[in-house]
């Protein structure tokens, strides 16, 4: 019993110290995250002034659960739809800022004698800014209506996605012991495949389930289902070789697109806050004064790089993306801190043996310092802009204004717009078709073969039946791969009318999509029949031609896509309906 009470006593110490520091930091008008870190430092094993935690191993388990709930909560507030409707400015800003900071991290790592992998992830951690701290600063400073805020928030979302990818790559590097380039590339492809598969299946299944069972789901049931889905997705992600954090983030992002998302956020907020506090307290426990004393030069270097170089890099990235000079500077100076995602990346890297152990307390120390400076650094952007505005020649300012205005003008459509508009559709249906093939040939047909049904029929009849069933199952997905929506068809017509040369691009892109469909048909046929490849190719072509000229017959197969789009848009449709009712 006494052994079991160790965990209870540790949790009591953690939560009481966190509660006390919360009150103190609220009085000081500082972010609560810093209060949790300080509380962890005070009750951690490296400082013996106050009572300390008895069993660090148990706290590490709780902190892992804390990471899961932090990522789950982030996913609930994340929107793939919003991400793809913000335009290119935020993507360009985030891309340039992340690449530049990774380059800075690699350079710093090489100077310190680190390996390439360690240096890359150091740069990745430097590139991460704190969504929590920045949102709190915007609220305290009443900046939410400022024009640069939207750009900053989308850049933060993209950074969070990159952080999730980095955790996947950390796991790959740990597994390969060296992080070979080809293995990294395959991990990214695997990640994209499973993200699309999980998102599409999740959007198709979960909102439908909520709709069917709506009258049976109260707050208690919804909370249990949401947490159950979170942990279930964590297990699935682990089973396919990804981190727990990725699984939690994915299911959160799926639930964020449902009608119940706001209700789920409300119900899970207390749990997320509780385990989030435990995680950040555990982060503070890792701060070792001796390590900081030994690596104070590295801490100071990281702080200077973050406050100065990151501010300049982020500002330049926003300027190149087409933002005004004022908005660019405000965005750049706002992003100049090391965020909590860097803690998670460092924690995962150290636990997997990919990162040096001292990087954890060093990153925390640099993050704490830069977090304290965040409000003052945001305020500093305005006087710096006014000073630059006076110093920059009038001709240079005119060119910069002209450049930023160019990004707001919408140019004529060209042949690239066809690919951009249909590429997400092609990726989704390609992934689904590939998943169907894997499901059939790795699971279903081997199981059927064990039943020895094939012994009751001639082999060619048995193979014909299985091939026919396979084609019937995959046909709706192949039709989705090659089908054009009315909007897309009209775009084809407009492009060709604008310039006859666009006909070549339209034809090539269309043929490419049919070739992809042909690949799946060919793969099924060649698995069951031993005819010459030419015969199978001819049969494949016949099926594809049938699909091309039987659009009306096959159009009812759109039910899968229609259901998916209905579920995806259900949240926004319900919101629009509520607004129209309130206006009346």
């Amino acid at each position: 019993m006494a052994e079991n009470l160790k965990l209870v006593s540790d949790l009591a110490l953690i939560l009481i110290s966190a509660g006390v520091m919360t009150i103190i930091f609220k009085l000081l008008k500082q972010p609560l995250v810093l209060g949790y870190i300080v509380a962890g430092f005070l009750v951690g094993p490296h400082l013996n002034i106050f009572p300390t935690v008895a069993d660090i191993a148990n706290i590490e388990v709780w902190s892992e659960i804390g990471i899961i709930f932090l990522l789950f909560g982030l996913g609930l507030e994340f929107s793939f739809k919003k991400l793809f409707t913000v335009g290119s400015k935020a993507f360009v800003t985030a891309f340039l800022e992340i690449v530049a900071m990774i380059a800075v991290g690699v350079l710093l790592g090489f100077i310190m004698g680190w390996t390439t992998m360690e240096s890359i992830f150091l740069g990745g951690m430097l590139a991460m800014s704190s969504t929590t701290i920045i949102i709190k600063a915007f609220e305290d400073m009443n900046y939410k209506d400022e024009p640069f805020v939207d750009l900053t928030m989308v850049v933060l979302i993209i950074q969070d996605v990159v952080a999730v990818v980095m955790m996947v790559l950390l796991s790959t590097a740990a597994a390969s012991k060296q992080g070979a380039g080809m293995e990294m590339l395959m991990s990214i492809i695997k990640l994209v495949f499973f993200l699309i598969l999980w998102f599409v299946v999740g959007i198709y299944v979960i909102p439908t389930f909520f709709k069917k069972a709506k009258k049976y789901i109260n707050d208690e049931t919804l909370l249990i289902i949401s947490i159950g889905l979170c942990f279930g997705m964590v297990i699935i992600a682990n089973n396919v070789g990804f981190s727990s954090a990725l699984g939690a983030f994915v299911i959160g992002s799926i639930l964020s697109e449902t009608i119940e998302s706001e209700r789920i956020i409300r119900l899970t907020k207390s749990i997320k806050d509780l385990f989030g506090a435990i995680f950040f307290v555990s982060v503070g426990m890792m701060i070792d004064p001796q390590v900081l004393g030994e690596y104070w030069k590295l801490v100071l270097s990281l702080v200077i790089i973050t406050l100065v170089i990151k501010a300049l890099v982020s500002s330049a990235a926003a300027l190149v993306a087409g933002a005004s000079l004022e908005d660019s500077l405000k965005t750049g100076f706002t992003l100049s801190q090391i965020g909590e995602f860097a803690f998670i990346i460092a924690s995962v890297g150290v636990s997997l043996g990919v990162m040096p152990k001292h990087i954890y307390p060093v990153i925390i120390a640099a993050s704490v310092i830069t977090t304290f400076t965040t409000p003052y650094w945001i305020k500093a952007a305005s006087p710096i802009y006014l000073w630059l505005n006076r110093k920059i020649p009038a001709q240079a300012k005119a060119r910069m204004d002209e450049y930023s205005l160019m990004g707001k003008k919408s140019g004529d459509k060209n042949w690239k717009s066809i690919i951009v508009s249909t590429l997400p559709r092609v990726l989704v249906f390609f992934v689904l078709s590939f998943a169907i093939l894997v499901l059939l040939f790795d699971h279903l047909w081997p199981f059927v073969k064990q039943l020895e049904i094939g012994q009751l029929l001639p082999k060619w009849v048995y193979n014909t039946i299985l091939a026919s069933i396979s084609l019937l199952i995959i046909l709706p997905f192949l039709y989705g791969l090659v089908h054009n929506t009315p909007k897309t068809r009209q775009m084809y017509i407009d492009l060709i009318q604008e310039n006859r040369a666009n006909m070549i691009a339209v034809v090539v892109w269309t043929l490419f999509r049919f070739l992809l469909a042909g690949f799946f048909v060919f793969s099924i046929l060649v698995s069951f029949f031993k005819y010459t490849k030419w015969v199978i190719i001819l049969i494949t072509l016949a099926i594809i031609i049938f699909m091309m000229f039987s659009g009306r017959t096959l159009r009812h197969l759109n039910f899968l896509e229609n259901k998916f789009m209905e579920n995806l848009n259900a949240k926004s449709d319900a919101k629009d309906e509520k607004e129209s009712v309130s206006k009346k």
Side-chain angles (χ1 to χ4, degrees):
M1 185 67 180
E3 191 69 26
N4 293 335
L5 284 177
K6 281 185 179 179
L7 177 61
V8 177
S9 64
D10 285 345
L11 279 175
L13 181 61
I14 286 172
L15 295 177
I16 290 171
S17 61
V20 171
M21 294 309 299
T22 296
I23 295 171
I24 294 173
F25 272 70
K26 275 194 173 182
L27 290 173
L28 296 173
K29 295 183 179 180
Q30 295 297 327
L32 298 185
V33 172
L34 296 180
Y36 295 143
I37 293 173
V38 171
F41 174 67
L42 294 176
V43 300
H46 304 294
L47 195 70
N48 296 318
I49 299 175
F50 299 97
T52 59
V53 170
D55 194 339
I56 297 295
N58 283 332
I59 302 307
E60 288 176 356
V61 174
W62 288 106
S63 72
E64 179 72 20
I65 298 175
I67 293 174
I68 289 172
F69 277 104
L70 281 172
L71 269 293
F72 180 62
L74 179 66
L76 284 171
E77 295 170 2
F78 179 80
S79 174
F80 280 104
K81 288 173 65 179
K82 182 179 179 181
L83 189 62
F84 288 113
T85 56
V86 294
S88 60
K89 190 184 293 183
F91 283 98
V92 172
T93 303
F95 174 78
L96 293 176
E97 184 266 338
I98 291 169
V99 170
M101 291 311 299
I102 287 177
V104 171
V106 169
L107 180 61
L108 181 60
F110 285 169
I111 291 172
M112 296 187 297
W114 289 13
T115 66
T116 303
M117 185 55 56
E118 291 170 348
S119 302
I120 289 173
F121 283 102
L122 173 63
M125 287 185 279
L126 290 175
M128 299 298 114
S129 302
S130 175
T131 306
T132 306
I133 301 301
I134 290 173
I135 290 175
K136 180 70 168 59
F138 284 161
E139 289 175 352
D140 293 345
M141 301 168 73
N142 198 24
Y143 271 10
K144 282 202 165 184
D145 295 327
E146 291 283 325
F148 76 95
V149 168
D150 286 341
L151 174 61
T152 304
M153 294 308 298
V154 177
V155 170
L156 288 170
I157 290 172
I158 296 170
Q159 285 182 355
D160 292 342
V161 174
V162 171
V164 172
V165 175
M166 286 183 66
M167 285 188 285
V168 174
L169 298 183
L170 270 173
S171 302
T172 304
S176 65
K177 302 298 181 185
Q178 55 187 355
M182 185 55 67
E183 291 183 16
M184 287 291 183
L185 178 61
M186 291 306 298
S187 292
I188 293 173
I189 294 172
K190 181 182 175 183
L191 174 64
V192 172
F193 174 83
F194 278 105
L195 282 179
I196 293 173
L197 181 62
W198 288 335
F199 186 73
V200 172
V201 173
I203 291 296
Y204 190 83
V205 174
I206 293 175
T208 303
F209 167 76
F210 281 151
K211 191 180 295 184
K212 298 288 184 183
K214 186 174 182 178
K215 61 181 180 180
Y216 306 108
I217 299 179
N218 56 20
D219 283 355
E220 180 183 355
T221 307
L222 183 60
L223 175 62
I224 292 170
I225 290 172
S226 302
I227 301 302
L229 287 172
C230 176
F231 286 128
M233 195 66 202
V234 164
I235 298 301
I236 292 172
N238 270 292
N239 286 339
V240 296
F242 295 129
S243 66
S244 303
L246 176 65
F249 176 79
V250 168
I251 194 64
S253 64
I254 292 170
L255 290 173
S256 74
E257 302 296 346
T258 67
I259 298 177
E260 304 291 347
S261 61
E262 293 181 4
R263 196 171 155 202
I264 294 171
I265 291 172
R266 175 174 56 82
L267 292 172
T268 57
K269 185 179 185 302
S270 298
I271 300 175
K272 185 191 78 171
D273 291 344
L274 171 64
F275 285 103
I278 293 173
F279 168 71
F280 286 114
V281 171
S282 71
V283 166
M285 290 180 186
M286 298 298 292
I287 299 177
D288 187 345
Q290 290 184 346
V291 173
L292 295 183
E294 184 179 353
Y295 293 97
W296 67 269
K297 291 181 181 178
L298 176 57
V299 174
L300 184 61
S301 299
L302 294 181
V303 170
I304 294 172
I305 287 171
T306 303
L307 293 179
V308 180
I309 296 180
K310 189 174 182 180
L312 296 176
V313 163
S314 302
S315 300
L319 196 63
V320 171
S324 66
L325 178 61
E326 183 178 7
D327 289 347
S328 298
L329 286 169
K330 287 181 177 179
T331 299
F333 278 69
T334 300
L335 295 172
S336 297
Q337 77 284 129
I338 298 174
E340 56 272 10
F341 245 126
F343 305 162
I344 300 173
I345 294 171
S347 174
V348 173
V350 170
S351 65
L352 293 173
V354 181
M355 300 292 296
K357 289 184 178 179
H358 66 263
I359 191 62
Y360 198 43
V362 165
I363 283 290
I364 294 166
S367 175
V368 169
I369 296 170
T370 55
T371 297
F372 274 119
T373 63
T374 294
Y376 310 105
W377 220 237
I378 295 174
K379 290 178 182 177
S382 293
I384 289 174
Y385 162 71
L386 294 174
W387 179 80
L388 282 175
N389 201 41
R390 290 194 300 269
K391 296 293 182 181
I392 296 174
Q395 188 176 3
K397 280 196 293 186
R399 288 187 177 180
M400 289 170 64
D401 292 338
E402 184 182 353
Y403 178 77
S404 64
L405 288 172
M406 281 175 60
K408 299 178 181 179
K409 295 178 182 179
S410 56
D412 297 332
K413 292 179 180 177
N414 55 37
W415 63 270
K416 293 179 183 177
S417 59
I418 273 290
I419 297 177
V420 171
S421 64
T422 54
L423 186 59
R425 176 192 186 87
V426 172
L427 281 174
V428 166
F429 280 104
F430 178 83
V431 167
L432 290 175
S433 300
F434 193 86
I436 290 294
L437 279 188
V438 172
L439 185 65
L440 289 174
F441 289 97
D442 285 1
H443 300 283
L444 183 58
W445 298 149
F447 173 74
V448 171
K449 189 176 181 180
Q450 290 178 358
L451 300 177
E452 298 182 352
I453 298 175
Q455 296 180 2
L456 304 176
L457 299 169
K459 189 174 182 180
W460 71 270
V461 174
Y462 176 72
N463 286 342
T464 301
I465 291 172
L466 293 188
S468 301
I469 293 172
S470 301
L471 289 171
L472 286 173
I473 291 173
I474 205 171
L475 191 59
F477 303 97
L478 298 185
Y479 181 69
L481 187 63
V482 301
H483 173 67
N484 291 318
T485 63
K487 183 179 179 180
T488 303
R489 285 196 294 271
Q490 186 59 49
M491 194 183 294
Y492 276 117
I493 295 169
D494 293 343
L495 283 168
I496 294 169
Q497 287 177 347
E498 286 177 13
N499 188 346
R500 299 293 294 180
N502 285 330
M503 173 71 80
I504 298 173
V506 169
V507 170
V508 169
W509 180 240
T510 303
L511 285 176
F512 174 73
R513 291 162 66 185
F514 274 99
L515 282 173
L516 287 179
F519 162 77
F520 290 108
V521 175
F522 180 81
S523 299
I524 291 172
L525 293 177
V526 81
S527 300
F528 288 107
F529 302 108
K530 293 184 178 179
Y531 301 122
T532 64
K533 296 292 190 296
W534 288 110
V535 173
I536 292 177
I537 289 172
L538 288 173
I539 297 172
T540 301
L541 287 174
I543 294 172
I544 296 300
I545 291 169
F546 169 75
M547 291 175 62
M548 290 176 66
F549 293 101
S550 303
R552 292 182 181 179
T553 306
L554 298 174
R555 202 158 291 160
H556 66 279
L557 296 178
N558 275 5
F559 70 93
L560 288 172
E561 183 179 357
N562 294 338
K563 186 65 178 177
F564 174 81
M565 294 307 299
E566 179 186 335
N567 288 344
L568 186 63
N569 295 323
K571 180 181 175 181
S572 56
D573 291 343
K575 187 176 180 180
D576 293 341
E577 185 178 346
K578 189 183 292 184
E579 288 178 354
S580 63
V581 170
S582 62
K583 286 179 181 178
K584 292 179 181 178

